Each structure stands twice: as C-alpha cells, then as structure tokens.
Amino acid sequence: MHYAEYKHTDPALVRTLVDTFPFAAISVNGSKGPRIAHAPLTFRNGKAPVGALEFHLAKANPIAGDMNIGVPVTILVQGPGAAISPSWFTSSFPQPDSDRSRTAPTYNYVSLIMNGRLEFMDDRALQAQIQDLVLASEPDSGWRTEELAPDLWQGWRKLIQGYRLEIESFDLTVKLSHGDVPEDRSGVVAGLLGRGVLADVSMAHLVRGYDGNSGSLPSLFRALKHGVGNRVKAAATA
C-alpha cells in the first residue's frame, strides 16, 4: 500500500503528527534481534532540519541494554486507520446489483516512520521533557509535576533514562481515499460514520476534509486532538 501518491515530504507535517499522536513504537536492533518499546514523544527543534525527538524509558525495560549512544533507532507514529468497504462507493456502484468485480476492500491509514541515532539526555533535559509531556496532555486545571512530592520526583527520575534522537530521515504515508473516484468520498464518510468503531469517526473527519494536498493536513490532524471526531459524528446524526 506504500504507493508514491500517498507519500508526503513536508517536514512541518512531522511535528504536527508527533504532537497529535505522540505515543510511539521505538525499535532497535538488539543483541538478540529486533527489540521494541513504547513511549510518548516530545518534538524538539534540533540540529537536523526536520527536528528532533525526546522520550524516556524505564532503566528496567528489557530494551534499555540495547539503547546505547549512537545506535540507529526507528520510531513509528501511527495515526488513525480504518478498513474501507467497496459497498460505500455509492456513486460508482449505486445499485445493489452493481458490478463490483473491478474493485476490492482497502485500508485508509496515517503512518510516520522516523530514523536517527540515540543520544542520552541529562537530568535537566529529562525533567523538561517530562514536564512538557504533562503540559501537553493535562487540561489547564490538571495535574502538574510541581505537585509531586520532591523525594518521589527525585527518586523516580533515577529509575528512567532520557533519550534524544535527531531525525535523519522520515517516511510519511497518508492514505485517505483521495486516489478513489471523488464522488465516492461522501459514501466513504457515511460508511465510516455508520460503522463507528475504533478510529472510524476520526478517519471520516480526515477523508471529508482532505483535498489531496499536504497543506490541508495540519489543521485536520490538530483538530483530532480537540475532539472534532465527536462533533463530526454528532453533526452526521443530527
């Protein structure tokens, strides 16, 4: 499914996706084969034009022994994904007995793969990354790291290691039905909202708003972080 028409090269989209979908899979080739861990990311401006990523893991995590300075790492950020049924192509196949022998089910998805080499963060940078994660996910009146008992704050930090990665390359795929017949898109949106499972509502928002150009994506992605999917569903059922 990785066709050239679904690829995007705008570095600004990398930050938008990391900010919107920060929880990532982190992969390294370890001494006993590939190892994977999961952690939320913090995007940073960096030496690389695309930017840099920061995250932390427990030192007790089995992957920690393979996370050494200079080691190549691959990080995957996954956005919404949803199966797309040909039965939703109501413009191309308007009748129940329409010939659908030249089409098949497919999958819409958003995927960002980033590569770079590890650096270790010192305690000051680690504290900043944790505090920024809290600010990014908590409401304005929510919990703050300043509330944590100082002895716990100091002790817990000794149990984790902070990492930084300058993004050397990235592979961004956005497949949102734009390669299909344009008139079928409304049927796809209706089908997604009607099914309404997993990421269907978020995908319906993306399919409805995407015009095939990178410039339309940042606002669509950012809106998902503010619950626009629920408003899309409510409007469709009103």
Side-chain angles (χ1 to χ4, degrees):
M1 300 176 79
H2 291 272
Y3 303 123
E5 64 188 289
Y6 304 134
K7 298 296 183 180
H8 292 264
T9 58
D10 183 359
L13 286 175
V14 173
R15 177 166 195 164
T16 302
L17 277 172
V18 171
D19 287 345
T20 306
F21 309 106
F23 196 67
I26 299 152
S27 176
V28 61
N29 285 325
S31 56
K32 297 182 180 180
R35 307 294 293 270
I36 296 175
H38 293 85
L41 306 174
T42 300
F43 184 91
R44 303 293 194 199
N45 294 323
K47 296 175 285 187
V50 183
L53 305 171
E54 292 182 352
F55 60 95
H56 64 269
L57 297 171
K59 293 180 179 178
N61 193 307
I63 201 175
D66 297 310
M67 301 284 281
N68 300 311
I69 294 175
V71 166
V73 170
T74 297
I75 296 181
L76 169 65
V77 167
Q78 197 77 45
I84 305 299
S85 170
S87 64
W88 297 342
F89 301 159
T90 52
S91 178
S92 295
F93 311 107
Q95 303 301 325
D97 59 350
S98 295
D99 181 7
R100 297 187 298 210
S101 62
R102 308 297 293 181
T103 188
T106 187
Y107 211 89
N108 280 358
Y109 66 104
V110 177
S111 174
L112 171 62
I113 300 170
M114 297 167 286
N115 298 287
R117 294 180 180 273
L118 282 183
E119 304 173 19
F120 284 177
M121 292 161 53
D122 60 22
D123 183 66
R124 181 176 179 180
L126 174 63
Q127 290 187 63
Q129 194 260 336
I130 295 173
Q131 289 168 342
D132 287 346
L133 277 179
V134 171
L135 291 173
S137 60
E138 287 285 321
D140 291 341
S141 59
W143 187 88
R144 296 292 183 265
T145 53
E146 291 78 9
E147 299 179 47
L148 188 60
D151 59 322
L152 286 179
W153 181 223
Q154 183 176 5
W156 286 351
R157 294 200 316 271
K158 295 178 181 178
L159 302 177
I160 59 179
Q161 175 62 57
Y163 303 95
R164 181 182 175 92
L165 178 143
E166 298 284 339
I167 304 172
E168 298 174 355
S169 63
F170 69 92
D171 180 7
L172 173 56
T173 308
V174 179
K175 185 175 181 294
L176 301 176
S177 293
H178 57 287
D180 301 326
V181 176
E183 291 77 13
D184 284 332
R185 292 167 67 85
S186 61
V188 171
V189 171
L192 287 164
L193 292 176
R195 187 174 62 192
V197 301
L198 300 175
D200 283 349
V201 176
S202 294
M203 181 55 67
H205 161 72
L206 296 177
V207 171
R208 174 181 286 172
Y210 182 47
D211 63 7
N213 297 307
S214 294
S216 64
L217 290 172
S219 61
L220 290 172
F221 289 140
R222 285 194 293 266
L224 291 177
K225 198 169 185 178
H226 300 288
V228 72
N230 292 330
R231 295 197 294 276
V232 170
K233 188 173 183 179
T237 56

